[in-house]
Amino acid sequence: DAGITQSPRHKVTETGTPVTLRCHQTENHRYMYWYRQDPGHGLRLIHYSYGVKDTDKGEVSDGYSVSRSKTEDFLLTLESATSSQTSVYFCAIQGAFGAEAFFGQGTRLTVV
Amino acid sequence: DAKTTQPPSMDCAEGRAANLPCNHSTISGNEYVYWYRQIHSQGPQYIIHGLKNNETNEMASLIITEDRKSSTLILPHATLRDTAVYYCIVRETGANNLFFGTGTRLTVIP
């Protein structure tokens, strides 16, 4: 399996609190992605990164920010969590465009 | 990226071939067809991809029609562990997103 680790795996937080999810890779892959998965929607791209300090928005980026200060870490931050952000979050890494993407095991976030 | 259409669910007997269809009638010439699957609540797993030629690897075969408007993923001898949601995705090699639809839920029956 590709070396990709998400933390935490589960989190319950209160509305209005900040939350940071971490994606760590040991593959030295250039591209990293954050997706969310909700029933009936499949996976939707939140943000992605194509290198250190190079990030861009995906299709559902509102309410989220990201940072990538090192190749191996891609952080997803919910500045002020809302109940609509309750979801399962997946991180993915990719070595090159066109190559297969490898996904982490997911983080289940519940905002109460 | 072109969109895909897949049946919402399929059943397959254990040990038989599972043939999962995908329609991508608006695919453009530089878009590849990718297949991923998601077992239960795990992260999606890459299976195979192709442009216009048929492809085979240790997991599956991908058959793409000559006009490239549809494709079929074949699991030659389905096992219970192949029960999963299978996603067909079309994507340019330079695109930054894998657009996941709702996929096909394959159930392998003993």
Side-chain angles (χ1 to χ4, degrees):
Chain A
D1 289 342
I4 178 169
T5 305
Q6 291 185 231
S7 59
R9 293 292 312 279
H10 302 272
K11 186 171 183 64
V12 179
T13 192
E14 293 185 349
T15 298
T17 61
V19 176
T20 296
L21 308 183
R22 180 185 185 225
C23 178
H24 178 77
Q25 61 146 330
T26 58
E27 304 296 324
N28 201 36
H29 281 348
R30 178 181 178 185
Y31 303 97
M32 299 185 75
Y33 305 82
W34 276 108
Y35 287 84
R36 61 177 288 174
Q37 186 170 33
D38 305 290
H41 287 279
L43 280 86
R44 293 180 291 174
L45 182 66
I46 304 171
H47 282 280
Y48 65 99
S49 169
Y50 43 95
V52 173
K53 297 185 180 179
D54 290 326
T55 65
D56 207 346
K57 297 179 179 180
E59 59 185 301
V60 290
S61 60
D62 288 347
Y64 302 94
S65 62
V66 289
S67 66
R68 192 166 176 202
S69 59
K70 299 183 292 184
T71 299
E72 57 266 35
D73 289 324
F74 192 33
L75 304 180
L76 177 71
T77 298
L78 292 65
E79 299 290 348
S80 178
T82 68
S83 58
S84 65
Q85 294 175 312
T86 292
S87 187
V88 180
Y89 292 85
F90 288 101
C91 175
I93 62 174
Q94 188 178 32
F97 273 146
E100 62 267 36
F102 298 98
F103 285 79
Q105 290 303 299
T107 295
R108 183 173 296 276
L109 177 67
T110 302
V111 183
V112 298
Chain B
D1 293 336
K3 297 299 185 286
T4 63
T5 303
Q6 300 176 252
S9 64
M10 294 181 61
D11 293 338
C12 177
E14 187 178 17
R16 304 298 293 270
N19 296 277
L20 291 89
C22 180
N23 180 284
H24 32 78
S25 58
T26 61
I27 193 170
S28 61
N30 58 349
E31 287 183 312
Y32 284 70
V33 179
Y34 290 78
W35 283 84
Y36 283 76
R37 73 180 183 182
Q38 189 172 22
I39 298 173
H40 194 45
S41 302
Q42 299 176 21
Q45 176 190 24
Y46 168 82
I47 301 173
I48 198 167
H49 75 283
L51 183 62
K52 54 182 179 181
N53 296 322
N54 298 336
E55 302 288 343
T56 296
N57 63 21
E58 64 279 4
M59 290 183 66
S61 295
L62 174 60
I63 309 298
I64 303 174
T65 58
E66 191 170 346
D67 64 6
R68 304 210 321 123
K69 293 183 183 300
S70 66
S71 60
T72 300
L73 178 74
I74 301 173
L75 307 178
H77 305 286
T79 71
L80 298 179
R81 288 176 293 182
D82 292 321
T83 292
V85 178
Y86 288 77
Y87 297 97
C88 170
I89 301 163
V90 292
R91 175 191 182 190
E92 292 182 30
T93 55
N96 54 40
N97 187 14
L98 290 167
F99 179 80
F100 286 82
T102 52
T104 295
R105 182 173 297 278
L106 175 70
T107 302
V108 180
I109 302 169

